[in-house]
Amino acid sequence: MVSLSEKHISTDADSNLEITSHLVITPQSPVIQIGTNFTATCVITDTAETTADDLYWNLSQSIIPKNQYTKINESALSVTILVNSEKPEWLYCHSREKSPYISVNKGKFIHGILLTKIYPPDKPKNLTCIATQEKAFILPNLKCFWETAGYHTNEMSPTTYTLHVEVMLDDQVYNVSTKGNSAQVKMAIFPHHMILDVWVVARNHLGSKESEHLNKDADWFVKTNPPSGVKVLSDQTLPTSLLINWTPPIFRDYLILKYQIRYCPNGSDDWINVPVVDIAEDIQSFRLQNLQPDTVYAIQIRCKIAKKDHGYWSDWSPRVTKKTPEDRPTSKPDLWTIIADSEHKNEREVTLICRDPVFSNGRITSFNLEIQTQKENIGNGSMAWGYISVNRSMADSSQSQMVTILKKISLPYQSYMMVHVTAINSIGTSPQESLGIPVKTHERNLVENLKVWPQEGQLFLKWNATSNSSVTEFIVEWVSGIGIDWQRENRNTRQTALKGNIEKFICYKISVYPIYYGWNGKPATYFKWKGKPATIEAFLEEGAPLEGPSVRLNVKPGRNEAELVWNEIPLHKRQGFITNYTIFYSSSNEIHEITVPANITSYVLTSLTGNTKYDTWIRASTIRGSTNGTNHSFTTLKYAPGEIEMIVVGVSLSFLFVVLMTMLLCIYKRDTIKKNFWPWIPNPGESTIVNWSPDYPLKPETPKENCLSDISVLDMDVNDEKSVLEEDKANLALKKDKYLSEEHSSGIGGSSCMSSPRQSVSDSDEGGEIAETTASTVQYSSVVASSGYKGQTPCVPPQQVIFSRSESTQPLLDSEENPDIVQEGSRQSELFPQVPCFTQAAWNQDSASSSKFNQLEMEPQEALLSLDLCPLAEDSELTTPADRQSAPVSSYMPQLCGYRSQ
Amino acid sequence: MADRRTSGGSEPQFGKMSAGRAASIGRLLTRECCSLLDFYSKRENLPADVGVADPRLVSVPPPSSQLDSRDQLWRLHVALLQCRHLMESAIAKEDEELGVDAGEYAGLRSTVKERLKLLAFCVSELVGAGDGPAVPTPAFSDSLERADDSLFELKLLVLRIFKEVDYWAKTAVAILQTMSKEQARNPRLRRSIRSTRR
């Protein structure tokens, strides 16, 4: 090392004296083993500017403590450090700047080395080698693998592995180097029967390590090809045996092989290995025995060097399949029954079904069925066996697990049935299976407390048996929408798992039937009977229903209620037990929900709002989730059913009532109505006015006499309305005439304010009644107020016209007697405004009561009437003549034709 | 080599060499010689009985029923060494005259040569030949030299050599199997053979 340093120094000095360092570290570029101490020495050369005391060491930019220094002499200082990391580091030797020269020439007073740190090579472990076959020979290539510690990946000092293979007695050694952990050596030939020595050497800068030697027979490393030409032969006389022939992969001169044979029913991966001890070495054929007849087997062979622990097992040969010959069925057919209630009363519908025997040993072509049934009407037990042959098609027999329906029989409740079945294939007949269906009431209940639970993807069930003495076996039956399946369990079994293809989200109805021997029927028969089952429903795994119930209205919605009905979700779409239904119904933004039990399929929504559109849907829930059904919309009625009818009927009845009342009123008041609408007008021709004389005593004056105007005597035919109307048309002209005539009549009534208030004009009836009394005399007159005589000034304003009842003794009209009538009259007066302040005096000659009407009693009414009518008269007086012209004519018309001579 | 073997920690396997193992190698050589002869005869279109009457190429003492196992093994050893030499010479001559062949024939030829070499080593180990007298060189050099004149003669000579190897391979199997049986009956026989030679 020192020489290297010297060389280094001299080389630098030769090349460039200016950059030559006065410090040199030895050793240069060291490769250090991790975990060891490393010592470096810094030597001062060609200068007296510094001494060893002025030197110090720096590692990774940190000064190494002085206790790690060793002063060798005045010009050399060493340092010892522990290498404990894999990271390469620079180690520097520095000199303190104790003189200006050193300060100026810093580069000459520093030197460094790179510390490369590696691990020593690790010993390769677990060396294994293999030589494979190609064509008829073992390739002369030996491929070896070993394990390493992984340190060889150090880039600064990688580890190289050399594989050595030496053929003993031969001087030739084959080797190959690699940086990995596998290598392959190619020899001249593969040295069968020779000894090989194989080892691996790992080497890096720190040295080398050698693996364990594999000092083995060369054949110890051989892996041959699998046997070729594997053929399997069957023999019809040996239905349980197959003969296997093959060709060794290599000549026996090279290697003597032993074999391993495995087989399984085709399609299965449960291989059965023939024990190695049963297979001799160096053979080329083997006979498999105890196989199942009529079964396709897959067979494979592999080989290995026969020497103990030599070589590797070859790969398995390709699968070769062969079917064993048929044999007669060696097990019973799997007979079972499905019993359902018949359409006929007190009868059962029994379906006999059957699966092929487990060891059918060939294609089952038919079943022989023997049935013995007891008819109800046969009490003596004289029953005969019926023989039925059920042929199977090729399609049916292709699947041995398929259920064959043998026969359907109607069996009365009080009858029993016994069945024997045998299965037949092309070789022979199976053992016989028997089963009896007992009288329904005699079915023994031997199973109880059936429980089912899912576990690890299977449905387990557990039950108790009430009596174990007579039970021969249990049949576990499960029925789904897909179909029916069953399995047989030993009489001592109390817990089992369903062995069929149990699917998730499918509801299975699981039943456990006891099969027992006993007496049954009449006459009592000892037979193997089917007992009464314990049944339960279960899911392997539940999920949310695939669809929700479809809701609809049962009937049209009412005003406040609607009845919803929905169907149960089909079984195959439930995916679980329905725990409840939730009814949703919404109007506008408000959603209501009601939860009902799972057994409810209809519900009446109440408290609905009339004439409102509702959306409704049903959500079905299981323990695993919920699914909403389809939406249904409906609108509630505006009126409740019958409400309209009630209204119509009410209105109709009311109308009818009104009509009836009107009719009754008309009937009972026909006289009044007649008087109102068709008043009786006295015949002027019969008037007693002709007997009237001025001497006729007048009634005492009344307070309103001063307002009376002229009195005109109407002289017309009351029936001559036409003439009245015609005259009314000339009302205006008549008014003028009236004014003119008032001058002539003033002497009659003295109605002028200037005249005597006692003046009146009346039409009195002729006869003695008139003469009896003034009070009882009824006068018919019209009192017309006028503004006064022509050329005279009235005592009251001329516009004010006051009508006053005359003092006639003529009886009043009903309208005057009765306020209603008065109102009617007032309405009449309104209808005839052209007759201002017209005071009418009705007179009914037909009414005896009217004749008795007392004039004194009438006076207050007259006063009231007068008071009431005067304002009207004022108003009427203010109306224009034109208005008066358009008014209809009243029956009480003023006298137009003048007066009779007085 | 001895150090290396020791360092490996495994017991050296020389002691396992037996007449039976050598006989197995002899059987391989027999099969491979047969394959080579078949292949060569078909390729060169030579009759199967050609050269049957020719004298043997390997010169060893004639077989005798009076020879003991040791002498038979020594005779076999000498014969195999000559066969090996013949084989190597024939291959070299063929490659020289016909060019190097890398096909199936060359593979078979090489296999026979290497197997013969291994058999010779085994027999040598059995007889402890390392300490024995020098093996005489087979007297066929003249024949090979003459073969230069005719390619056909070379083919015939190569065929003779293959047949000679086949013959001695079969002879070796016979001798070694007999010896193997004797060793099985008397395990000390092998040690006595080697000790006698020394």
Side-chain angles (χ1 to χ4, degrees), chain A residues 452-577:
Chain A
V452 180
W453 69 94
Q455 181 178 325
E456 297 174 350
Q458 286 185 301
L459 270 180
F460 283 83
L461 57 155
K462 185 179 181 180
W463 66 91
N464 293 330
T466 56
S467 171
N468 195 29
S469 58
S470 58
V471 174
T472 61
E473 61 181 343
F474 293 100
I475 304 290
V476 179
E477 176 196 87
W478 60 96
V479 180
S480 68
I482 302 169
I484 183 173
D485 203 352
W486 69 93
Q487 67 189 45
R488 295 179 181 271
E489 297 293 340
N490 187 278
R491 56 177 293 185
N492 296 319
T493 302
R494 295 292 180 272
Q495 178 174 325
T496 187
L498 298 187
K499 297 179 176 66
N501 182 24
I502 305 300
E503 298 181 6
K504 297 177 181 177
F505 314 128
I506 300 288
C507 182
Y508 291 96
K509 183 179 179 183
I510 302 167
S511 303
V512 177
Y513 291 84
I515 306 298
Y516 61 95
Y517 271 106
W519 296 94
N520 197 284
K522 190 177 182 180
T525 306
Y526 191 78
F527 205 69
K528 188 165 81 172
W529 303 104
K530 178 181 180 181
K532 195 172 184 179
T535 301
I536 196 170
E537 288 187 343
F539 284 86
L540 177 62
E541 184 177 330
E542 293 189 53
L546 288 178
E547 67 178 31
S550 185
V551 65
R552 66 184 190 280
L553 292 178
N554 191 24
V555 294
K556 287 183 179 180
R559 186 174 182 276
N560 302 112
E561 71 284 330
E563 183 179 4
L564 303 177
V565 293
W566 60 93
N567 295 327
E568 287 190 336
I569 303 170
L571 204 58
H572 64 282
K573 292 185 177 179
R574 286 184 201 169
Q575 301 206 121
F577 293 113

